[in-house]
Amino acid sequence: MTQPQIRTVLRPFTHESMLDLLRSETLRSRTNTESRYDLTPFPLPTASLYFIGSTVTDIAWSPDHLTGDVSPDVIYTDVELVGQLLNSERSHPWWINLSPLAVTDNATVFDIAYSNDFTDRVFTGPNSSPGEPFHLRGPTLPAFWRIGDPMPQIKLPMLQIRRATRTD
């Protein structure tokens, strides 16, 4: 059996086209999460924020991990996030993982992780994601869950964003 060939196509993004794709993939992630998981809260808040942290230790979690406190330095709006994802040559990360992480009083917070390698191409073909370079991931499942087990109820933690001003 031969391996499928990995193909790419040229796709430089403008700020507007990356913003449109981010918003579309965020909506798709929210919709998929609400339909696939026994979720609390339900429905998820429709406003979106994005967490870019070097590790999840950037969030001060409560012992039960149901609440967390985070600096505004690692929380971005969609417009701010696109500014982080595009460089001056209109290149973008090879891949960008997007997954629901937590909620605030009025927003769903998505965790963003991305490649350090930037390009003006996207993957195409049967193994590519429909919203390349975005790859949707679900919320974190409990450590005790195993493949074949019934889907447990997922409770997204409540995140408090500290009152501070980012300087970038």
Side-chain angles (χ1 to χ4, degrees):
M1 183 170 160
T2 61
Q3 294 292 327
Q5 185 177 0
I6 296 174
R7 296 176 297 192
T8 64
V9 295
L10 185 65
R11 185 161 182 200
F13 285 95
T14 64
H15 183 84
E16 294 75 22
S17 64
M18 178 61 87
L19 184 59
D20 287 346
L21 183 59
L22 171 63
R23 288 174 175 166
S24 171
E25 290 302 286
T26 298
L27 177 60
R28 196 165 69 92
S29 176
R30 180 182 291 107
T31 302
N32 288 350
T33 299
E34 288 177 343
S35 68
R36 291 183 181 168
Y37 298 94
D38 180 10
L39 196 64
T40 303
F42 182 84
L44 293 172
T46 55
S48 300
L49 293 171
Y50 302 90
F51 168 79
I52 302 178
S54 55
T55 65
V56 289
T57 57
D58 289 328
I59 300 173
W61 293 108
S62 65
D64 60 8
H65 280 254
L66 294 178
T67 61
D69 183 64
V70 67
S71 165
D73 295 341
V74 293
I75 300 293
Y76 295 83
T77 65
D78 53 4
V79 172
E80 292 168 332
L81 178 61
V82 168
Q84 297 290 314
L85 297 177
L86 288 179
N87 65 23
S88 59
E89 290 85 36
R90 298 187 340 173
S91 293
H92 54 83
W94 263 116
W95 52 264
I96 305 165
N97 289 344
L98 174 70
S99 60
L101 173 70
V103 294
T104 67
D105 287 333
N106 58 3
T108 302
V109 180
F110 291 86
D111 185 26
I112 298 290
Y114 58 89
S115 167
N116 291 326
D117 297 320
F118 279 63
T119 184
D120 59 358
R121 304 185 73 77
V122 295
F123 293 107
T124 186
N127 294 327
S128 66
S129 171
E132 288 286 351
F134 290 96
H135 297 249
L136 305 186
R137 303 291 184 247
T140 302
L141 294 171
F144 62 82
W145 185 83
R146 299 291 180 258
I147 293 175
D149 289 351
M151 188 60 64
Q153 184 176 47
I154 305 296
K155 180 167 179 57
L156 291 182
M158 178 61 83
L159 199 58
Q160 296 296 320
I161 302 169
R162 285 182 230 127
R163 301 275 182 203
T165 304
R166 190 170 46 233
T167 58
D168 56 87

